[in-house]
Amino acid sequence: MQPQEQQEAYVRRLGVVSSHLAESASTPLARQPVAAASVKRDDDVVIVCALRSAICKAKRGSFKDTHWTTLLGDVVKGVVQQSGVNPADIEDIQVGTALAAGGGASEARMATLVAGIPHTSSLATTNRQCSSGLQAFANIAASIRAGYIKVGMAAGVESMSTHNFDNGVGKLNEALFANKEAADCLLPMGITSENVAAEFGVTRADQDKFAFESQAKAARAQQAGLFKDEIIPLTVSIKDKDGNASQITVDKDDGIRATTLEGLQKLRPAFKKDGTTTAGNSSQVSDGAAAVIAMTRAEANKRGLKILGKFHSYAVVGVPPYVMGIGPAYAIPVAVKQAGLTIDDIDVFEINEAFASQALYSARKCNIPESKVNPNGGAIALGHPLGCTGARQIATLIHQLRRTKTRYGVVSMCIGTGMGAAGVFEAEF
């Protein structure tokens, strides 16, 4: 059996294994919004388009030879075309990226110009590590609410094939290490996962089960074509092992791994000899891009654009760096309260699965039913291109809410150095 056939067979098999998840998602309780729709106002910040590229495995996947500016530019171009928004009307663009040298501002500007955005539109990059894509959206939303702009775009992008973590860290001041919390900011992320698991009692069995379910949900969603509406197909060049280049069109996430629960249980700890965090219950390093166009409701109505959703609130909180993964447990309640809602009002939580330990702990801490967490899988299955992830999650969330006729959703993630971010969104139909 060829590799592609093996992957397809795996997806079909895993879809059957996870059918119980599909059944629970189709119950009346899961499909009926708990809270009433919010009041619509002309100055609401609304989303008229939210799309992404496929997410591909770093160094081995379909985007391994694609420059991050190509990913960004092609997604920006695709979002503008699908939205029907005149690119000249986009007043500001914020791009989240974590690893680009020098913050990537010049290259991102160049990429959007190539994509057809006129020079009259402005651009900045932002780096809040794993929340950079969500932070980019929050920056645009804040500018719209403040009246600085009426129409903006938020994007996120990362090529972990061509960049490594050294790109994002310059020469360090040795004096900083005299402070323990400052020193903890540079702990390997896998060690912070081990700290969360040990301190809060998240067992290896719990982590492996969570990871398997992420893979199962993602496989089922991919098999059912649930990601098609949010993915922009990109045609890129890829080199084979002999260096020969060919053109391929990428329209599917390629990080879903052929695994079983038993297979996950056999993996050795990746970061600590007697630890519980493995390659199988951690997020994948990946390449991808996503973009969201936002504006006031009045502007959307004036242009006759379909409104996909409304932005409610955003919160960032700090947590101890040595357990940075617990950030969502503290950011989610703040953002939900700001939106005038309760945890029970939220239909879907897109919590980034940096590690199963921290995602599972965060859901438990907030008393979130696991059935509401990442219904189509998360970063363990799909991958985690750092700067892209927040924008990718917005696209996934909005399309999931609209498809299932549910109303409120949360996007959240932990952030290296000890933070958590969360945003609350509402689908419109």
Side-chain angles (χ1 to χ4, degrees):
M1 184 180 290
Q2 297 299 312
Q4 181 63 31
E5 293 173 339
Q6 290 177 333
Q7 179 73 358
E8 291 174 353
Y10 159 68
V11 169
R12 289 194 296 272
R13 184 171 70 254
L14 201 49
V16 171
V17 172
S18 62
S19 61
H20 66 284
L21 296 169
E23 292 169 2
S24 65
S26 63
T27 62
L29 178 61
R31 299 186 67 84
Q32 294 299 317
V34 174
S38 64
V39 176
K40 296 179 180 179
R41 296 184 172 87
D42 283 348
D43 61 353
D44 287 338
V45 177
V46 300
I47 293 169
V48 298
C49 195
L51 300 171
R52 66 177 178 94
S53 71
I55 305 302
C56 298
K57 295 176 287 188
K59 302 187 185 301
R60 295 177 294 127
S62 298
F63 292 146
K64 68 182 180 66
D65 301 313
T66 303
H67 197 276
W68 70 270
T69 55
T70 300
L71 292 174
L72 174 63
D74 286 354
V75 167
V76 165
K77 185 176 181 179
V79 168
V80 170
Q81 289 177 340
Q82 187 158 325
S83 70
V85 172
N86 184 339
D89 292 341
I90 298 172
E91 297 164 86
D92 192 28
I93 301 172
Q94 293 274 326
V95 178
T97 185
L99 301 180
S106 296
E107 291 175 282
R109 169 74 164 166
M110 294 164 70
T112 58
L113 292 171
V114 170
I117 303 295
H119 67 259
T120 51
S121 300
S122 56
L123 180 144
T125 56
T126 185
N127 181 358
R128 201 191 285 268
Q129 302 188 67
C130 299
S131 70
S132 297
L134 179 59
Q135 184 65 57
F137 180 86
N139 291 351
I140 288 295
S143 291
I144 293 171
R145 281 182 171 170
Y148 300 152
I149 63 172
K150 294 180 180 178
V151 181
M153 177 188 291
V157 62
E158 211 71 70
S159 171
M160 300 181 79
S161 290
T162 57
H163 288 150
N164 58 42
F165 290 97
D166 292 339
N167 287 94
V169 180
K171 185 176 180 180
L172 293 170
N173 177 2
E174 293 295 328
L176 297 174
F177 293 92
N179 180 286
K180 184 181 184 303
E181 284 201 315
D184 286 346
C185 289
L186 293 185
L187 282 173
M189 293 296 97
I191 295 300
T192 70
S193 172
E194 293 289 3
N195 292 342
V196 170
E199 188 155 327
F200 301 105
V202 185
T203 67
R204 169 70 185 266
D206 289 341
Q207 293 172 61
D208 287 343
K209 179 174 180 290
F210 184 89
F212 173 74
E213 290 176 350
S214 179
Q215 294 279 0
K217 289 183 287 187
R220 173 172 53 81
Q222 188 176 73
Q223 182 182 9
L226 301 189
F227 296 130
K228 287 183 177 179
D229 288 344
E230 68 191 63
I231 292 179
I232 301 171
L234 301 186
T235 299
V236 300
S237 178
I238 188 170
K239 295 178 181 178
D240 63 19
K241 59 183 176 58
D242 297 319
N244 300 311
S246 60
Q247 295 286 305
I248 60 170
T249 297
V250 185
D251 60 2
K252 289 184 178 180
D253 304 309
D254 69 16
I256 298 174
R257 290 179 279 201
T259 191
T260 63
L261 181 57
E262 292 75 20
L264 289 170
Q265 292 168 339
K266 293 177 182 178
L267 293 175
R268 295 179 178 179
F271 303 98
K272 189 177 178 182
K273 185 176 180 181
D274 58 346
T276 59
T277 300
T278 71
N281 58 38
S282 305
S283 61
Q284 302 176 51
V285 292
S286 312
D287 307 326
V292 183
I293 295 180
M295 59 186 68
T296 62
R297 184 181 300 278
E299 289 296 319
N301 289 338
K302 183 173 72 176
R303 290 169 167 77
L305 298 172
K306 179 186 290 186
I307 294 173
L308 304 182
K310 171 182 173 179
F311 170 67
H312 277 277
S313 61
Y314 176 65
V316 185
V317 302
V319 297
Y322 81 100
V323 285
M324 68 90 203
I326 68 176
Y330 294 90
I332 289 171
V334 176
V336 169
K337 184 177 180 180
Q338 286 178 354
L341 299 168
T342 68
I343 294 293
D344 289 341
D345 292 330
I346 307 301
D347 300 294
V348 176
F349 291 84
E350 283 287 334
I351 301 176
N352 187 45
E353 299 167 355
F355 300 96
S357 62
Q358 55 81 213
L360 188 53
Y361 168 75
S362 295
R364 289 174 174 175
K365 177 70 174 177
C366 294
N367 295 316
I368 300 169
E370 286 189 39
S371 61
K372 289 186 175 185
V373 177
N374 302 344
N376 295 322
I380 289 172
L382 300 176
H384 175 28
L386 306 180
C388 167
T389 288
R392 192 281 299 172
Q393 288 177 291
I394 295 172
T396 299
L397 175 68
I398 289 295
H399 287 279
Q400 173 69 8
L401 291 173
R402 286 172 53 81
R403 182 169 48 246
T404 57
K405 304 299 182 185
T406 46
R407 183 164 289 123
Y408 292 105
V410 164
V411 166
S412 185
M413 68 285 292
C414 61
I415 304 167
T417 72
M419 289 177 279
V424 178
F425 299 83
E426 177 183 0
E428 297 194 8
F429 310 100

